[in-house]
Amino acid sequence: MILAKTEEEIELLRLNHEIVSKTLAEVARLIRPGVTTLELDRRAEEFIRDNGAKPGFLGYHGYPNTLCTSVNSAVVHGIPKGDSLRDGDIVSIDCGTFMHGFYGDSAYTFMIGEVSPEVQRLIKVTRECLELGINKAIDGLRVGDISSIVQQHAEDNGYSVVRELVGHGIGRNMHEKPEVPNYGIRGNGPKLVSGMVICIEPMINMGSKQIFQEQDGWTIKTVDGKPSAHFELAVVIRKNKAEQLSTFKYIDEVLKAVN
Ligand code: MF3
Ligand code: CO
């Protein structure tokens, strides 16, 4: 089975991830105490459609919304609601698009107002885990090289890695081979080859790694109720350095302007 994409396919994945990246920045503009996750969801859907794409998650295995909004002890797959976000909360916003037959998929964990230093550190380390993973997303290495460095950085900082949910290839399907776990052994797993497009998405818990699924059939939460952070970017495997298809630069610009 050939996992590498053609440059034409990569171009379509790039268009999707450009919209995903900009949608997350539109959401960033609305982030403040009092906003509801449903308001963020509506804005994201509007922006995606205005840009000629469709929400990639809406209807996916029956998922009811455009965004996954996972607050505090929610890890991923939180369903947007009419409840207000409050000062001190954190929220993972995961966004997907579908356009020209391909998907886009990325996520960012936002802070609402003043967040405790402990939780700020969780977010910082989780983002570092993603960056370290991306540095290993190069031709000739293996998935386990990404997995192991993500796990090591999380655990070195006293955190734990969610096992049940993993990163993934992306293309004409949102979830393709290979699986990209956030834990593993250096030198193990499928080989990374130029042209493969993968989503790396560390889900890092402040406390124990144990999770459960809420009664809503979607929201994944930590068993101990402690917070969890999540960042996701899509990259192309290249010879010496991964090429990012999605980016946090638009979000960072928005957050710099308002803070
Ligand atoms: N970004 C999520 C993932 O990679 C996709 C969630 S799609 C949903 O698992 F529709 F299931 F929410
Ligand atoms: Co994903």
Side-chain angles (χ1 to χ4, degrees), residues 206-253:
M206 182 172 276
S208 101
K209 63 180 184 294
Q210 298 327 120
I211 56 167
F212 72 100
Q213 189 179 57
E214 278 261 284
Q215 293 297 325
D216 64 15
W218 285 102
T219 313
I220 304 294
K221 286 187 169 174
T222 61
V223 167
D224 62 14
K226 293 185 181 172
S228 182
H230 173 222
F231 288 87
E232 174 174 20
L233 288 172
V235 302
V236 190
I237 306 299
R238 299 289 192 193
K239 279 286 177 216
N240 296 310
K241 190 179 192 302
E243 179 191 349
Q244 276 185 222
L245 293 183
S246 48
T247 174
F248 298 142
K249 72 181 179 195
Y250 304 120
I251 299 172
D252 290 338
E253 280 168 17

Side-chain angles (χ1 to χ4, degrees), residues 29 60 64 73 94 116 126 132 145 163 196 216 224-225 248:
R29 291 180 199 284
Y60 182 84
S73 71
D94 197 340
S116 75
T126 303
L132 289 166
D145 294 306
R163 301 294 201 270
M196 278 175 56
D216 64 15
D224 62 14
F248 298 142

Side-chain angles (χ1 to χ4, degrees), residues 57 77 94-95 105-107 166-170 174-175 199-201 203 230 232:
F57 298 170
H77 301 170
D94 197 340
C95 178
D105 179 15
S106 299
V166 296
H168 50 90
I170 188 166
M174 185 148 47
H175 297 120
C199 290
I200 305 175
E201 51 178 318
M203 288 152 263
H230 173 222
E232 174 174 20

Side-chain angles (χ1 to χ4, degrees), residues 123-137 146 149-150 153 200 202 231 233 235 241-242 244 248 252:
I123 290 177
K124 177 171 169 281
V125 169
T126 303
R127 191 167 167 172
E128 288 166 359
C129 285
L130 173 55
E131 281 160 17
L132 289 166
I134 290 174
N135 291 340
K136 298 288 183 187
I146 298 173
I149 203 158
V150 169
H153 190 58
I200 305 175
F231 288 87
L233 288 172
V235 302
K241 190 179 192 302
Q244 276 185 222
F248 298 142
D252 290 338

